[in-house]
Amino acid sequence: MTTTRNVGFGCALLGALACGGTAAGAAEQITFVSQGGAYQQAQTVAILDPSAKKLGITINQDSIPDAWPAIKTQVGSGKPIWDVVDTPTGNCLRGGEQGLMEKLDFSKIPNGAAMPEAYRSPYSVSYEFYSSVLAYSQKTFPKDAPNSWADFWDVKKFPGRRALRNHPFATLEAALMADGVAPDKLYPLDVDRAFKKLEEIRPHITVWWTSGAQSAQLLNDGEVDMEMAWNGRVSAVAKEGAKVSFTYNQGILQSTSLCILKGAPNLATAVKFINEAVDPVHQANLPLHIDYGPGNPKAFETNVIKPERAAQLPSEPSNAAKQALMSYAWWSSPAGEAAEKRWASFMQK
């Protein structure tokens, strides 16, 4: 269910006038949509409020866990009410291919144009990064912890209860790396090989988790000894005292991106906002409030992020170099969509 936020998010919501913007600028506005919760609160403080103040615009906020159905409905109606969406990168690419997203003019988004080509597409620009990592209990593995997906698959050397995500994203990549495929040689995915490798580990999977909260609980409660999990979820329970850790080695680096709905009511302002949202300093502010890495790698050159904090983040260059960058282009291709459908059959066996 979509929740429109009318109060509670400070400058970004109250608008430029309330926060010191100009009267002329206050006429400009956008509606920005994200995924709610602590994440949206963090980006409000780190990125949305500063961007609204600097541009002199009003940023109205909405939140929804999965924006994809609403994107299709809004654009299909011919009268979308959202402008900019923060959503998994695959939604931006799929939406672009289906005529649901505006093609971005990067000459008007210089901050985005300066980012690595792998971090942007004709319809999107990376906004933040997270990683699917191998996490484990330090009680079970006080030393010689598993450090690769091959270790995860090695039930003799590393006995214990295991969990994987009930979703093909990252799981197929992990299976292929367990079978010896290098992180930079994954795509196009050898789907047959990945599912064959998954059949090997299936008898040892205690739980196929379906939410990040569930994965964190499994580790926190000691229900599993190792699992695939999102880095932020693991670090959150570690801060609460759980004896757990993870490795970025062979992690799968994933992102959400910003994209603009086709026919957005405030297109020109939306483009200006996207450029501001990926400004290196704004981007550097985000990990000061939540365990997500900035989408713009130049954020690490601003000196806003201290070295000890940078070392914890999935998109920090040396951490990123250890990982596989998920290809959303492949996952949004016919082969990727077929792999998603095959996953449902795999789980029903």
Side-chain angles (χ1 to χ4, degrees), residues 83-97:
D83 294 292
V84 179
V85 181
D86 168 14
T87 188
T89 302
N91 286 345
C92 295
L93 272 60
R94 187 185 308 173
E97 293 167 355

Side-chain angles (χ1 to χ4, degrees), residues 114-116 119 126 129 278 280 283 294-302 315 317:
M115 290 166 61
Y119 288 11
S126 294
F129 279 103
V278 296
Q283 287 274 300
N296 189 342
K298 288 189 177 296
F300 292 104
E301 301 172 10
T302 62
S315 57

Side-chain angles (χ1 to χ4, degrees), residues 17-138:
L17 282 176
C19 298
T22 65
E28 293 187 55
Q29 63 176 319
I30 63 166
T31 297
F32 173 85
V33 183
S34 187
Q35 297 138 49
Y39 171 53
Q40 193 158 347
Q41 293 179 36
Q43 62 180 300
T44 297
V45 175
I47 297 174
L48 302 183
D49 283 353
S51 295
K53 186 173 183 179
K54 185 174 177 180
L55 296 174
I57 65 173
T58 297
I59 301 176
N60 304 301
Q61 293 194 48
D62 206 344
S63 61
I64 188 170
D66 180 6
W68 179 245
I71 291 171
K72 290 193 292 185
T73 299
Q74 285 195 27
V75 178
S77 74
K79 295 182 179 180
I81 58 175
W82 293 346
D83 294 292
V84 179
V85 181
D86 168 14
T87 188
T89 302
N91 286 345
C92 295
L93 272 60
R94 187 185 308 173
E97 293 167 355
Q98 297 182 13
L100 302 175
M101 299 297 180
E102 293 283 349
K103 197 166 187 177
L104 299 180
D105 180 355
F106 279 96
S107 70
K108 298 177 180 178
I109 310 174
N111 287 325
M115 290 166 61
E117 289 188 11
Y119 288 11
R120 50 190 165 86
S121 80
Y123 302 97
S124 65
V125 60
S126 294
Y127 186 51
E128 58 83 25
F129 279 103
Y130 62 100
S131 185
S132 294
V133 296
L134 170 52
Y136 55 90
S137 165
Q138 292 176 309

Side-chain angles (χ1 to χ4, degrees), residues 94-317:
R94 187 185 308 173
E97 293 167 355
Q98 297 182 13
L100 302 175
M101 299 297 180
E102 293 283 349
K103 197 166 187 177
L104 299 180
D105 180 355
F106 279 96
S107 70
K108 298 177 180 178
I109 310 174
N111 287 325
M115 290 166 61
E117 289 188 11
Y119 288 11
R120 50 190 165 86
S121 80
Y123 302 97
S124 65
V125 60
S126 294
Y127 186 51
E128 58 83 25
F129 279 103
Y130 62 100
S131 185
S132 294
V133 296
L134 170 52
Y136 55 90
S137 165
Q138 292 176 309
K139 291 182 179 177
T140 306
F141 305 105
K143 58 181 180 179
D144 299 328
N147 190 48
S148 69
W149 293 113
D151 289 347
F152 187 91
W153 257 251
D154 191 340
V155 297
K156 292 183 178 178
K157 185 177 180 181
F158 298 98
R161 298 156 296 177
R162 288 157 161 80
L164 282 172
R165 185 187 179 195
N166 184 357
H167 199 284
F169 282 21
T171 314
L172 295 192
E173 284 89 339
L176 288 170
M177 285 189 277
D179 208 32
V181 180
D184 62 346
K185 305 294 184 186
L186 285 170
Y187 301 100
L189 296 185
D190 187 336
V191 175
D192 289 341
R193 183 176 175 180
F195 277 105
K196 182 179 179 181
K197 193 66 178 177
L198 281 168
E199 292 288 1
E200 289 182 18
I201 200 66
R202 182 207 286 266
H204 306 281
I205 300 300
T206 304
V207 180
W208 295 89
W209 56 263
T210 56
S211 71
Q214 183 187 8
S215 71
Q217 182 180 356
L218 290 170
L219 266 184
N220 192 44
D221 295 349
E223 294 184 40
V224 298
D225 300 294
M226 68 175 82
E227 66 172 348
M228 171 181 281
W230 294 320
N231 68 287
R233 294 289 186 175
V234 184
S235 58
V237 295
K239 289 176 183 175
E240 294 172 358
K243 299 297 182 185
V244 300
S245 187
F246 68 89
T247 176
Y248 278 124
N249 186 46
Q250 296 190 339
I252 298 94
L253 194 59
Q254 296 161 255
S255 64
T256 69
S257 287
L258 299 180
C259 47
I260 300 174
L261 270 65
K262 189 75 172 181
N266 305 286
L267 177 58
T269 308
V271 171
K272 287 194 291 186
F273 165 74
I274 285 186
N275 183 61
E276 193 64 32
V278 296
D279 171 84
V281 174
H282 294 331
Q283 287 274 300
N285 284 330
L286 184 64
L288 304 186
H289 302 279
I290 198 165
D291 289 335
Y292 292 105
N296 189 342
K298 288 189 177 296
F300 292 104
E301 301 172 10
T302 62
N303 295 321
V304 173
I305 310 172
K306 302 302 180 188
E308 58 272 23
R309 178 58 173 151
Q312 300 169 343
L313 300 174
S315 57
E316 189 274 333

